[in-house]
Amino acid sequence: MRLGILISGRGSNMEAIANSIAQKRLDAEIAIVISNRASAPGIITARERGFPVRIMPSAGLEREEYDKQLIDELMTHEVDLVCLAGFMRLLSANFVRAFPNRVMNVHPSLLPAFPGLDAQRQALEYGVKITGCTVHLVDEFLDSGPIVIQRAVPVLDADTVDSLSARILLQEHGIYSEAIQIMVEKRAVLEGRRVFIQELD
Amino acid sequence: MRLGILISGRGSNMEAIANSIAQKRLDAEIAIVISNRASAPGIITARERGFPVRIMPSAGLEREEYDKQLIDELMTHEVDLVCLAGFMRLLSANFVRAFPNRVMNVHPSLLPAFPGLDAQRQALEYGVKITGCTVHLVDEFLDSGPIVIQRAVPVLDADTVDSLSARILLQEHGIYSEAIQIMVEKRAVLEGRRVFIQELD
């Protein structure tokens, strides 16, 4: 399974995926890392680890045109599965159709609670006692596709946005690789919005 | 701490509260059980257990007038804390003001996800992998007040609405008494929407 990883920032989930591959917990390879921001620190990490990297700024491009270039780049690298890892752009319906049920994202809340930016801050300010993270298939809407794995994370009275985010991120790293491996093994069965995970024989 | 329990149906959370009191896990007494439905099976249970019961149908009454009668009845029984237990009515701002931070509810989801009716079905149809239950203080909006306790419950691939509801209900029974006991011990400190639970000395 050839992965295309899309980043906009640190790419810590990209690193977690790379570590899982190195540790043979994930049977895949990183075919290309694409950043839409030239300043994303994750670009350096990706190069240090020897992954092919493309910087594709979106400035001045319509969404459809940009997404078409993205699709071309991913196709060129024969990507089977697109993994968003802190990629701060909504993808068009055309992009999603180009990789049907083959685009994944990880989000730092128990969706559908707290979609969008600053999910951890939203959770703290709402005052929930339990939040978490979600790996889901991506559709053209914000943080709305079918859910593959979720993990709960307790909110502590002493939590700040930083401490809570760090605890959630640790869980993101675990479940993202786990969910990708489920896709590698073709064990996810979609029925409506529900994703059933078949056991290995 | 004198409890007023408001029911519309089975009153299973009322029973759980009564059990917790009987087992000395909850230091309170049930001063009055009020049902807005004459056919609520919980009325029979309440009578069998010897609790004072009032049936107060709301038919033909404006919300403010009905809530005024409710307040009068609860005041007459010197109720300190109002516990909604499957009470299927929204309460007015006047009611909430009559018992400031003294009205509680339990809801079968991890709020703010899946407010309103059929929360368990909503969760299943959305396809979440984790849901749960929430005890919260009640304001005049639907399932929206500050959260005291939440508990996560996994959604299993084989779950139906009934099996999931039963597993959540078991957790509701536990956390509702736990949350009421926190109020009895005056350990809940409200800051904005967040409820901090102080440790016992």
Side-chain angles (χ1 to χ4, degrees):
Chain A
M1 177 88 71
R2 293 173 61 81
L3 309 182
I5 301 187
L6 273 48
I7 66 172
S8 300
R10 271 191 304 161
S12 85
N13 271 301
M14 169 194 71
E15 279 195 83
I17 292 167
N19 291 341
S20 295
I21 293 171
Q23 293 158 15
K24 315 267 186 209
R25 286 184 289 116
L26 176 50
D27 188 18
E29 65 182 299
I30 296 177
I32 181 74
V33 175
I34 300 175
S35 173
N36 67 326
R37 289 191 187 149
S39 62
I43 295 169
I44 297 164
T45 317
R47 284 188 177 134
E48 282 173 356
R49 298 187 73 134
F51 305 135
V53 178
R54 269 294 306 275
I55 300 169
M56 299 179 64
S58 56
L61 293 178
E62 297 285 334
R63 183 179 307 282
E64 286 300 338
E65 176 54 27
Y66 181 76
D67 281 9
K68 193 173 166 305
Q69 293 184 12
L70 265 187
I71 294 168
D72 286 347
E73 187 67 25
L74 292 162
M75 295 287 191
T76 299
H77 288 85
E78 298 180 317
V79 163
D80 302 302
L81 185 68
V82 180
C83 300
L84 311 188
F87 187 65
M88 305 302 274
R89 281 180 65 87
L90 211 55
L91 295 165
S92 60
N94 276 340
F95 184 96
V96 174
R97 270 194 291 272
F99 298 94
N101 292 328
R102 283 288 179 275
V103 187
M104 304 182 86
N105 186 35
V106 62
H107 181 81
S109 77
L110 292 177
L111 291 170
F114 313 124
L117 289 177
D118 287 327
Q120 305 94 333
R121 182 183 300 277
Q122 290 183 55
L124 269 183
E125 289 178 355
Y126 193 96
V128 293
K129 300 297 186 180
I130 297 172
T131 181
C133 47
T134 302
V135 179
H136 63 94
L137 301 178
V138 171
D139 60 22
E140 69 266 41
F141 306 106
L142 181 64
D143 299 326
S144 87
I147 293 170
V148 183
I149 303 184
Q150 293 185 302
R151 193 141 299 159
V153 173
V155 179
L156 308 179
D157 279 1
D159 263 331
T160 61
V161 173
D162 283 348
S163 67
L164 180 60
S165 300
R167 237 164 41 255
I168 293 173
L169 189 60
L170 207 64
Q171 298 302 321
E172 289 176 48
H173 291 170
I175 64 173
Y176 208 176
S177 293
E178 206 179 304
I180 295 168
Q181 182 61 19
I182 285 169
M183 301 302 282
V184 168
E185 293 166 353
K186 301 188 194 310
R187 293 198 288 126
V189 179
L190 198 59
E191 286 184 22
R193 284 192 54 88
R194 293 183 73 178
V195 178
F196 296 94
I197 311 293
Q198 303 200 302
E199 294 302 316
L200 281 174
D201 292 330
Chain B
M1 178 87 74
R2 294 172 60 80
L3 309 181
I5 301 185
L6 272 49
I7 66 172
S8 299
R10 271 190 304 160
S12 86
N13 271 300
M14 170 193 72
E15 280 196 84
I17 292 167
N19 292 340
S20 295
I21 293 171
Q23 294 158 14
K24 314 269 186 206
R25 285 185 289 117
L26 175 50
D27 187 19
E29 64 183 300
I30 295 177
I32 181 75
V33 174
I34 299 175
S35 173
N36 68 325
R37 289 192 186 148
S39 61
I43 295 169
I44 297 163
T45 316
R47 285 189 176 132
E48 282 172 356
R49 298 188 73 134
F51 304 135
V53 178
R54 270 293 307 276
I55 300 169
M56 298 178 64
S58 58
L61 293 177
E62 297 285 334
R63 183 178 307 280
E64 287 299 338
E65 176 55 28
Y66 181 77
D67 281 8
K68 195 172 166 307
Q69 293 183 12
L70 264 188
I71 294 169
D72 286 348
E73 188 68 24
L74 292 162
M75 294 287 191
T76 299
H77 288 84
E78 299 180 316
V79 162
D80 302 302
L81 186 69
V82 180
C83 300
L84 311 188
F87 186 65
M88 304 302 275
R89 280 179 64 85
L90 211 54
L91 294 165
S92 61
N94 277 340
F95 184 97
V96 174
R97 270 194 292 272
F99 297 94
N101 293 327
R102 283 287 180 275
V103 187
M104 303 182 84
N105 185 37
V106 63
H107 181 81
S109 77
L110 292 178
L111 291 171
F114 314 124
L117 289 176
D118 287 326
Q120 305 95 333
R121 182 183 300 277
Q122 289 183 56
L124 269 183
E125 288 177 356
Y126 193 95
V128 293
K129 299 299 185 180
I130 297 173
T131 183
C133 47
T134 301
V135 179
H136 63 95
L137 302 178
V138 170
D139 60 22
E140 69 265 41
F141 305 106
L142 180 65
D143 300 325
S144 87
I147 293 170
V148 183
I149 303 183
Q150 293 186 302
R151 194 141 298 161
V153 173
V155 179
L156 308 179
D157 279 2
D159 263 330
T160 61
V161 173
D162 283 347
S163 67
L164 180 59
S165 300
R167 238 165 40 253
I168 293 173
L169 189 61
L170 207 64
Q171 298 301 322
E172 289 177 47
H173 291 168
I175 64 172
Y176 208 177
S177 293
E178 206 179 304
I180 295 168
Q181 182 63 19
I182 284 169
M183 301 302 281
V184 168
E185 294 167 353
K186 301 188 194 309
R187 294 198 289 124
V189 178
L190 198 59
E191 285 183 25
R193 284 191 55 89
R194 291 184 74 177
V195 178
F196 295 94
I197 311 295
Q198 303 199 302
E199 293 301 316
L200 282 174
D201 291 332

